[in-house]
Amino acid sequence: MNPIRVFVVDHHPMFRRGIQALVAGEQHFNWAGEAGDGDDVVAAVLAAQPDVVLVDLIMPGSDGVSVIERLRPRLPLARFVILAGSCDAADVRRAMAAGAAGFVLKSASKQEMVTVIHTAHAGRRVLSPEVTAMLSTRHAQAPIGADLTERERSLLSLMARGLPNQEISSRLSIAMPTVKFHVTNILSKLHVENRTAAVMTALRHKIVCLE
């Protein structure tokens, strides 16, 4: 198995040093690089081409969610995990809507962080236990698909009509990689594995209508 290339975006140098030491101590990890804050973050991550990017939620100038929104369409194979000092339902929803693979508290232990990186790299969503408990308590009744964006609902409606990605790209005037990016988000938000299941879920819960 190729080592997992880890990049960290955080404006605290000491925290970056801690993650670097963690990566150095794991034989299946490689250090891909680091960035603090500012306009050079996106360029630095793109140049490194990492597998997993750990992103601080709160940074001067640009928060972690906006960093993910700018990077994810350009690094579709990378996994992004938000690191936060505390968990807030609105922040978690924003992060998941942006395509984050996880939302983890900075208080996580070394072993927990190692597990987070492996889990995210494997394509599975990972949340700190505190975040999971909060979401299950506060959002148990949230309707399926409530976090879909307007663009994702439009694309899902075209999927329900049987349109392939190429035609969806033409109808919505967006590039093919962007279509695939949105489809991935839709599957994640509906908690399904493929397009057929996404369409069935959308129709069953009246997220889209074919009339």
Side-chain angles (χ1 to χ4, degrees):
M1 182 179 69
N2 293 328
I4 300 171
R5 292 172 46 75
V6 180
F7 194 103
V8 62
V9 178
D10 193 291
H11 69 291
H12 291 108
M14 290 301 294
F15 186 82
R16 299 200 302 270
R17 295 287 75 76
I19 296 296
Q20 185 176 22
L22 180 152
V23 169
E26 295 293 319
Q27 62 175 337
H28 297 303
F29 293 170
N30 270 353
W31 181 247
E34 63 182 277
D37 52 57
D39 296 334
D40 61 336
V41 168
V42 171
V45 178
L46 290 174
Q49 294 289 303
D51 299 309
V52 175
V53 186
L54 306 176
V55 188
D56 190 10
L57 174 65
I58 300 175
M59 297 183 290
S62 181
D63 73 356
V65 174
S66 65
V67 169
I68 293 175
E69 289 173 338
R70 293 166 64 191
L71 281 169
R72 190 161 178 259
R74 302 173 69 179
L75 289 174
L77 298 181
R79 307 295 182 184
F80 297 87
V81 176
I82 284 287
L83 302 175
S86 61
C87 55
D88 176 82
D91 289 333
V92 176
R93 286 197 300 270
R94 287 180 57 236
M96 297 301 103
F103 193 104
V104 178
L105 297 186
K106 286 188 170 184
S107 58
S109 68
K110 174 184 175 181
Q111 190 53 53
E112 286 172 335
M113 196 64 73
V114 169
T115 300
V116 163
I117 294 170
H118 278 294
T119 303
H121 183 252
R124 299 191 299 272
R125 180 167 291 181
V126 56
L127 302 172
S128 284
E130 298 90 341
V131 176
T132 300
M134 177 197 64
L135 293 178
S136 62
T137 299
R138 298 186 183 184
H139 302 286
Q141 303 304 317
I144 293 176
D147 55 347
L148 290 170
T149 65
E150 183 176 349
R151 171 66 83 183
E152 289 163 353
R153 287 175 182 273
S154 297
L155 196 148
L156 183 55
S157 179
L158 296 179
M159 287 169 56
R161 287 167 170 77
L163 272 63
N165 283 355
Q166 188 65 52
E167 190 167 350
I168 291 174
S169 172
S170 177
R171 290 278 190 99
L172 298 181
S173 299
I174 56 178
M176 281 290 288
T178 304
V179 173
K180 294 177 181 178
F181 169 72
H182 285 310
V183 170
T184 300
N185 274 356
I186 290 168
L187 299 186
S188 175
K189 291 179 181 181
L190 296 182
H191 307 290
V192 295
E193 298 294 328
N194 54 59
R195 293 166 68 103
T196 300
V199 169
M200 292 177 64
T201 298
L203 294 175
R204 184 181 307 118
H205 294 277
K206 296 180 170 43
I207 299 171
V208 299
C209 180
L210 294 180
E211 296 179 357

